[in-house]
């Protein structure tokens, strides 16, 4: 309990501070009203500033908008009197004081002309409770709707566009939230990035990106090709033995898995039902999948190129951002530790790149390394040529080998040899790192990627030549199904070898490095070799989607299993990279390799198939046609006889079927690419100049500070008495600040005592 003297002292102090607020307050009301008044004064002052700015802005507008604002102000004064009861919910006591009513009117009048974002920000900064802010927003929205109804009656188009834009933003945000909520492996990817860095994480991100591609392709094929075929499919009379899972022949031959099973007739249920042309559905569905993949690859390359190459200093994060930007919404202990590990890994990557960029070599060291690089390239190129020659001769004699051997497992010879080469040669290339010893780990990954892509794409090119020249022209009953079976076996054999390498080969390397040859230690994750396995498999899927429409489903299952297999092997058998480095630009390079030469080669192969090869006469949806493309020619001829579809014929003949149109389109794309590249180079030069300017300004400031210090030292030596006076002034100022701080602390203590003692 406080004595009466202390209570009177507290009341007198508070009354002196907030005098004139109320006429006859009690001691308990005085303190509460003081706090309320202080917040109200701050609120009104800030709103007055906003009102002044708004009035200056309105005065600069044209006469028409000025008249509209004046009309709104008149109608606002009339409608404010109708909302006085609502102002009580906001915290303004209208019956008590006319001064507070004026403040409420001024508050609402200043909020209405603002934009939605500024209005929300101003209401959020008000010193009020959440309920009061909600009521205030409802009142302002109500008055805003009245004003909008009066002023924007002639601007319905503007209002409609604003509504569409607002609905688009909301739907876009909702869609992004849904996609983020259903995104696969978020937690696993964070763990991988925190432990192994962004370089290893780029492989798993690329795998997940390819999985999305195959999900889309499977959904499209299943919807427009497989489901219609199911409605007219006949029962399969072949017996399933289990060997078909490895060879792809037998029971699977008469299923929707391969091209030869699909009908060439128009599907129609009933006399009055709608017809479904299977030829057009097949070729347009495959074309839609490849076209979507084409534009998705272009868009992804442009996006990653903009983020990682146009301004790498901004998009790479930076050490300052990593150190001083912490997400305070992360409260879970495991999430906090994972966030700390991610930040420490990114800081090490940034620092390592700065250190590696400053490293310089002597002339003799550069000459030695250049000679080593040349020798490594000569050896790697020779090995690749030898492997491609072996695949070529094996493919040339593969058909004769299959005719002379009736064993069902004989069809696995070519896929087995190709998979052995794809597994052994990249491992041999990875050993070159012991000799080349690149300073930048990124350069090492780039070189390995180029060597591996040359090897694997050359092998795929030899196989495509074998399929289009030997198999397609061999006179077999259904050569399209034979090509689909070959691609299925290659894809399956590559998947089996990858799993065996993950669970057996990488485990043996860990045992050798930990127990037999301890100097080797734990191996590091080979990014280049694993990424090229994904690119090789995806290339086979794109080639085989025309001959085996279910390949995207098979690739989906394989990628899903491969993610968990590689994740388990990574955690058990590998160590983090010995040289930390940022891989922000790796994803761009991966997609570039996937686009060229992988996807462009696929387009060339399928174009030759559709425009130059004759379909089988007894199977498939294009049986009986001289070329696959003649199905579209027949459709265009049919539409030309119907007046309502002449615009489709015009588009095909003048745009799709015109060489000049594609020439002009290619020229425009090249010009835009060149301009975009020049803009990028100009921005890089500007960034470099700005960095140099910042460094020079820092040097100028240091020079001026040093000169100022020297002048002060000279002045002190010339006038010693001025130094004594300066010290006295500093001591007096310190004593004054100390007294003010003591008095403020005493007042805070008294207020806290007053709050803790309601009786006083």
């Amino acid at each position: 309990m406080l004595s009466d003297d202390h209570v009177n002292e507290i009341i007198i102090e508070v009354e002196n501070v907030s005098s004139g607020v109320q006429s006859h307050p009690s001691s308990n009301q005085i303190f509460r009203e003081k706090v309320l008044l202080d917040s109200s004064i701050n609120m009104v002052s800030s709103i007055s500033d906003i009102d002044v700015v708004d009035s200056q802005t309105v005065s600069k507008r044209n006469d028409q908008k000025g008249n509209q604002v004046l009309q709104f102000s008149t109608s606002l004064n009339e409608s404010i009197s109708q909302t006085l009861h609502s102002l009580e919910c906001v915290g303004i006591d209208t019956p008590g004081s006319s001064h507070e009513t004026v403040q409420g009117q001024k508050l609402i009048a200043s909020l209405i002309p603002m934009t939605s974002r500024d209005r929300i920000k101003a209401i959020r900064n008000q010193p009020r409770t959440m309920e009061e802010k909600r009521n205030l927003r409802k009142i302002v929205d109500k008055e805003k709707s009245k004003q909008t109804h009066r002023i924007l009656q002639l601007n319905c188009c503007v209002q409609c566009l604003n509504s569409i834009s607002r609905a688009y933003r909301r739907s876009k945000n909702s869609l992004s939230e849904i996609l983020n909520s259903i995104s696969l492996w978020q937690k696993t990817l964070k763990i991988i990035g925190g432990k192994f860095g962004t370089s290893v994480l780029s492989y798993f991100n690329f795998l997940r990106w390819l999985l999305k591609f195959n999900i889309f392709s499977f959904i499209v094929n299943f919807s427009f090709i497989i489901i219609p075929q199911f409605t007219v499919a006949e029962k399969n009379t072949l017996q399933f033995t289990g060997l078909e899972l490895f060879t792809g022949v037998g029971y699977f031959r008469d299923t929707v898995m391969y091209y030869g099973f699909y009908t060439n007739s128009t599907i129609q249920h009933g006399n009055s039902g709608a017809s479904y042309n299977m030829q057009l559905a097949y070729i347009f569905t495959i074309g839609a999948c490849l076209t979507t993949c084409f534009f998705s690859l272009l868009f992804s390359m442009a996006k990653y190129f903009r983020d990682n190459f146009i301004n790498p200093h901004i998009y790479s994060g930076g050490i300052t951002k990593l150190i001083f930007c912490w997400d305070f919404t992360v409260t879970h202990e495991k999430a906090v530790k994972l966030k700390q590990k991610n930040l420490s890994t990114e800081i090490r990557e940034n620092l390592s790149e700065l250190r590696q960029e400053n490293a310089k070599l002597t002339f003799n060291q550069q000459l030695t390394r250049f000679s080593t690089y040349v020798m490594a390239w000569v050896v790697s190129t020779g090995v690749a040529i030898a492997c491609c020659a072996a695949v070529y001769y094996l493919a040339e004699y593969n058909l004769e080998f299959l005719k002379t051997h009736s064993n069902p497992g004989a069809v696995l010879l070519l896929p087995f040899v190709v998979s052995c080469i794809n597994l052994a040669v990249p491992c041999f290339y990875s050993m070159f790192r012991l000799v080349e010893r690149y300073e930048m780990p990124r350069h090492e990954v780039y070189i390995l990627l180029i060597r591996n892509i040359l090897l694997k794409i050359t092998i795929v090119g030899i196989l495509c030549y074998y399929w289009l020249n030997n198999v397609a022209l061999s006179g077999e009953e259904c050569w399209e199904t034979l090509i689909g079976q070959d691609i299925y076996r290659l894809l399956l054999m590559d998947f089996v070898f990858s799993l065996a390498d993950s669970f057996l080969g990488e485990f043996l390397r860990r045992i050798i490095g930990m127990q037999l040859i301890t100097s080797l230690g734990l191996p590091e994750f080979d990014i280049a070799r694993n990424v090229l396995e994904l690119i090789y498999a995806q290339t086979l899927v794109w080639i085989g989607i025309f001959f085996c429409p279910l390949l995207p489903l098979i690739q989906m299952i394989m990628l899903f299993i491969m993610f968990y297999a590689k994740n388990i092997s990574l955690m058990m058998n590998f160590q983090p990279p010995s040289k930390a480095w940022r891989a922000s630009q790796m994803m761009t390079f991966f997609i570039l390799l996937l686009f060229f030469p992988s996807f462009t080669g696929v387009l060339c192969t399928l174009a030759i198939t559709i425009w130059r090869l004759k379909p089988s006469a007894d199977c498939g949806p294009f049986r009986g046609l001289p070329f696959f493309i003649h199905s579209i020619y027949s459709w265009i001829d049919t539409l030309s006889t119907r007046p309502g579809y002449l615009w489709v014929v015009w588009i095909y003949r003048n745009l799709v079927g015109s060489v000049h149109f594609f020439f002009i389109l290619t020229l425009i794309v090249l010009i835009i690419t060149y301009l975009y590249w020049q803009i990028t180079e100009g921005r890089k030069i500007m960034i470099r100049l700005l960095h140099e300017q910042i460094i020079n300004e820092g040097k100028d400031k240091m020079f001026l500070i040093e000169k100022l210090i020297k002048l002060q030292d000279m002045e002190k030596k010339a006038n010693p008495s001025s130094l004594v006076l300066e010290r006295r002034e500093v001591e007096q100022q310190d004593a004054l600040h100390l007294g003010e701080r003591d008095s403020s602390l005493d007042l805070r203590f008294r207020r806290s005592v007053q709050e803790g003692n309601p009786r006083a």
Side-chain angles (χ1 to χ4, degrees):
M1 292 294 293
L2 293 172
S3 61
D4 295 335
D5 296 332
H6 289 100
V7 174
N8 293 330
E9 184 179 356
I10 294 172
I11 293 172
I12 290 171
E13 285 188 25
V14 177
E15 285 179 346
N16 290 332
V17 175
S18 59
S19 59
V21 178
Q22 290 181 351
S23 58
H24 300 287
S26 64
S27 61
N28 195 17
Q29 291 174 341
I30 288 173
F31 187 78
R32 292 197 304 268
E33 292 298 333
K34 175 192 176 299
V35 179
L36 179 61
L37 182 62
D38 290 340
S39 60
S40 301
I41 291 172
N42 295 330
M43 176 188 68
V44 173
S45 62
S46 61
I47 292 172
S48 300
D49 296 337
I50 297 173
D51 190 37
V52 171
V53 175
D54 291 336
S55 62
Q56 292 176 358
T57 305
V58 170
S59 63
K60 294 179 182 180
R61 298 178 180 175
N62 52 29
D63 296 337
Q64 182 179 0
K65 293 186 177 181
N67 294 331
Q68 291 176 354
V69 172
L70 291 176
Q71 292 175 3
F72 161 69
S73 301
T74 306
S75 61
L76 177 65
N77 293 328
E78 296 175 357
S79 60
I80 287 296
S81 60
Q82 300 176 2
T83 59
L84 292 179
H85 178 70
S86 300
L87 292 176
E88 296 178 0
C89 302
V90 185
I92 301 175
D93 300 330
T94 53
S97 176
S98 61
H99 177 65
E100 294 177 354
T101 304
V102 174
Q103 290 181 358
Q105 294 176 354
K106 195 172 184 180
L107 171 60
I108 297 175
S110 62
L111 289 174
I112 292 177
M114 296 182 184
T115 61
S116 299
R117 183 177 298 177
D118 295 337
R119 190 186 310 118
I120 293 172
K121 189 181 295 183
I123 294 175
R124 187 182 298 166
N125 294 331
Q126 295 298 315
R128 302 181 182 277
T129 62
M130 292 298 297
E131 187 65 27
E132 293 173 350
K133 291 179 181 179
R134 292 191 187 98
N135 294 330
L136 177 60
R137 187 180 63 183
K138 290 179 181 178
I139 296 173
V140 174
D141 291 340
K142 183 178 179 181
E143 297 297 328
K144 181 71 175 178
S145 63
K146 294 180 182 178
Q147 179 262 347
T148 305
H149 182 69
R150 297 188 187 97
I151 295 178
L152 298 181
Q153 288 180 350
L154 299 178
N155 297 331
C156 296
C157 294
V158 176
Q159 186 178 4
C160 181
L161 291 176
N162 291 333
S163 301
I164 294 173
S165 177
R166 189 161 51 249
Y168 171 74
R169 288 196 302 268
R170 290 176 180 175
S171 61
K172 184 179 179 181
N173 294 333
S174 301
L175 182 61
S176 62
E177 291 177 359
I178 293 173
L179 292 177
N180 290 330
S181 62
I182 64 176
S183 183
L184 291 172
W185 306 315
Q186 284 286 349
K187 183 178 179 181
T188 305
L189 293 177
K190 290 181 180 179
I191 295 173
I192 294 172
K195 187 174 181 179
F196 294 91
T198 56
S199 57
V200 179
L201 180 63
S202 62
Y203 164 78
F204 291 91
N205 285 328
F206 185 62
L207 189 150
R208 185 176 65 169
W209 189 75
L210 288 179
L211 181 62
K212 296 177 182 178
F213 261 108
N214 289 280
I215 290 174
F216 169 78
S217 300
F218 168 70
I219 292 174
V220 174
N221 286 352
F222 187 78
S223 302
F224 297 100
I225 297 179
I226 298 174
I227 292 179
Q229 180 62 32
F230 273 134
T231 60
V232 295
E234 298 179 358
K235 186 177 180 181
N236 193 347
T237 58
L238 298 177
Q239 184 179 2
F240 182 76
T241 60
L243 188 62
E244 293 87 349
L245 294 175
F246 299 97
T247 61
V249 298
Y251 180 83
F252 289 153
R253 183 184 179 91
D254 292 338
T255 60
V256 293
M257 185 171 179
Y258 293 116
Y259 163 91
F261 182 73
Y262 291 87
T263 182
N264 65 333
S265 61
T266 300
I267 301 174
Q268 185 175 6
H269 296 280
N271 296 328
S272 61
S275 60
Y276 193 82
N277 193 326
M278 200 63 190
Q279 290 182 351
L280 297 178
Y282 198 94
I283 196 168
F284 280 142
T285 302
I286 302 299
C289 288
L290 296 177
T291 303
T292 305
C293 292
F294 175 78
F295 286 107
S296 298
L297 287 171
L298 286 181
F299 176 77
S300 300
M301 281 194 299
K303 177 179 179 297
Y304 284 107
F305 182 81
R306 180 195 63 192
D307 294 346
N308 300 320
F309 285 91
I310 291 181
N311 196 349
H313 294 283
I314 293 177
Y315 290 99
S316 61
I319 300 177
T320 305
K321 181 180 177 181
L322 294 174
I323 295 176
F324 298 105
C325 293
W326 176 260
D327 189 2
F328 288 96
T329 60
V330 180
T331 57
H332 195 269
E333 184 178 359
K334 292 184 179 179
V336 169
K337 291 182 179 179
L338 183 60
K339 185 74 173 177
Q340 291 174 349
K341 188 178 291 186
N342 284 326
L343 289 177
S344 64
T345 304
E346 293 185 24
I347 291 172
R348 286 193 296 108
E349 291 173 354
N350 282 273
L351 293 176
S352 64
E353 287 207 352
L354 293 175
R355 184 174 64 253
Q356 291 164 0
E357 290 176 356
N358 296 328
K360 295 182 179 180
L361 300 176
T362 61
F363 177 76
N364 293 331
Q365 291 176 342
Q366 292 179 357
L367 183 61
T368 304
R369 291 200 171 183
F370 180 75
S371 303
T372 305
Y373 298 158
V374 172
M375 291 299 298
W377 272 104
V378 170
V379 174
S380 62
T381 306
V383 172
I385 293 174
C387 294
C388 293
V391 173
Y392 175 78
Y393 285 109
L394 181 60
E396 285 289 331
Y397 295 101
N398 185 55
L399 287 177
E400 297 180 2
F401 175 78
L402 294 178
K403 291 178 181 179
T404 57
H405 292 77
S406 59
N407 187 2
V411 295
L412 297 175
L413 177 62
L414 180 61
F416 179 80
V417 174
V418 172
S419 299
C420 287
I421 292 175
N422 288 332
L423 179 64
V425 176
C427 293
F428 175 72
Y429 286 166
S430 300
M431 295 175 63
F432 287 173
R433 72 177 66 181
L434 302 175
V435 180
E436 292 175 326
R437 295 180 181 178
Y438 288 96
E439 287 293 332
M440 298 286 290
R442 185 188 296 109
H443 296 164
E444 178 183 333
V445 175
Y446 287 161
I447 295 299
L448 287 176
L449 282 172
I450 293 173
R451 289 171 181 166
N452 290 327
I453 198 70
L454 290 176
L455 171 69
K456 297 198 173 187
I457 294 300
T458 305
I459 292 176
V460 173
I462 293 172
L463 293 175
C464 291
Y465 176 82
Y466 158 72
W467 291 325
L468 299 183
N469 287 274
N470 294 354
V471 179
L473 304 178
S474 62
E476 294 289 339
E477 181 181 355
C478 191
W479 60 268
E480 296 93 346
T481 300
L482 294 179
I483 294 177
Q485 291 172 355
D486 283 343
I487 295 175
Y488 170 78
R489 288 190 289 266
L490 283 168
L491 192 64
L492 182 65
M493 191 64 66
D494 182 75
F495 174 70
V496 171
F497 272 70
S498 298
L499 285 183
D501 180 64
S502 299
F503 289 112
L504 185 60
E506 294 169 355
F507 174 74
L508 291 177
R509 285 197 293 271
R510 181 176 73 89
I511 296 298
I512 293 172
M514 292 297 293
Q515 297 182 4
L516 299 179
I517 307 176
T518 56
S519 59
L520 295 178
L522 286 175
E524 297 180 7
F525 189 78
D526 195 342
I527 302 171
R529 182 171 60 85
N530 287 279
V531 166
L532 261 298
E533 289 178 357
L534 297 178
I535 294 177
Y536 170 75
Q538 189 61 40
T539 306
L540 292 178
V541 171
W542 279 332
I543 295 174
I545 194 174
F546 186 80
F547 309 101
C548 181
L550 278 182
L551 273 185
L553 174 62
I554 299 171
Q555 179 70 352
M556 283 170 49
I557 299 172
M558 292 179 179
L559 289 176
F560 198 82
I561 298 173
M562 188 61 65
F563 181 89
Y564 289 101
K566 290 295 181 181
N567 183 28
I568 295 172
S569 178
L570 179 69
M571 296 300 176
M572 293 178 57
N573 303 322
F574 292 100
Q575 64 173 347
S578 57
K579 294 181 180 179
W581 56 286
R582 283 189 299 110
S584 57
Q585 299 173 354
M586 291 297 296
M587 194 68 179
T588 310
F589 195 68
F590 295 162
I591 298 175
L592 177 62
L593 291 178
L594 189 64
F595 180 78
F596 181 84
S598 176
F599 188 76
T600 52
V602 170
L603 292 181
C604 294
T605 303
L606 293 180
I608 293 172
T609 303
I610 294 173
W611 267 273
R612 291 292 181 264
L613 296 181
K614 183 179 180 180
S616 298
D618 299 326
C619 68
F622 302 97
R623 66 188 75 174
L625 296 178
F627 299 103
F628 294 93
I629 194 63
H630 274 264
S631 60
I632 297 180
Y633 294 162
S634 302
W635 178 61
I636 293 296
D637 294 338
T638 304
L639 291 181
S640 61
T641 60
R642 301 178 181 179
Y645 296 95
L646 292 178
W647 60 275
V648 179
V649 179
W650 184 90
I651 291 175
Y652 176 80
R653 291 176 178 174
N654 294 278
L655 298 181
V656 179
S658 175
V659 179
H660 301 87
F661 171 75
F662 284 100
F663 175 77
I664 296 173
L665 183 64
T666 305
L667 187 63
I668 293 173
V669 171
L670 292 176
I671 292 173
I672 294 174
T673 304
Y674 175 76
L675 293 176
Y676 195 74
W677 179 265
Q678 290 299 318
I679 292 172
T680 301
E681 294 297 323
R683 289 180 179 179
K684 288 182 179 180
I685 295 173
M686 183 61 66
I687 290 170
R688 188 178 68 253
L689 294 176
L690 290 175
H691 276 280
E692 294 177 356
Q693 182 178 354
I694 292 172
I695 294 173
N696 293 330
E697 288 181 356
K699 292 179 180 179
D700 294 340
K701 290 180 180 179
M702 292 300 297
F703 174 76
L704 293 175
I705 290 173
E706 291 177 357
K707 295 292 290 184
L708 181 61
I709 292 174
K710 290 181 180 179
L711 290 175
Q712 289 179 351
D713 293 339
M714 293 174 61
E715 184 179 357
K716 290 177 182 178
K717 291 179 181 179
N719 298 320
S721 59
S722 63
L723 180 62
V724 177
L725 294 175
E726 183 179 356
R727 289 181 178 177
R728 290 179 180 177
E729 291 178 358
V730 171
E731 291 176 355
Q732 291 177 0
Q733 291 178 358
D734 291 340
L736 180 61
H737 290 312
L738 182 62
E740 292 177 354
R741 185 169 66 252
D742 293 340
S743 60
S744 63
L745 290 174
D746 183 58
L747 180 59
R748 291 176 183 175
F749 172 74
R750 292 175 179 177
R751 289 178 179 176
S752 63
V753 172
Q754 176 69 20
E755 291 177 352
N757 193 353
R759 184 175 180 181

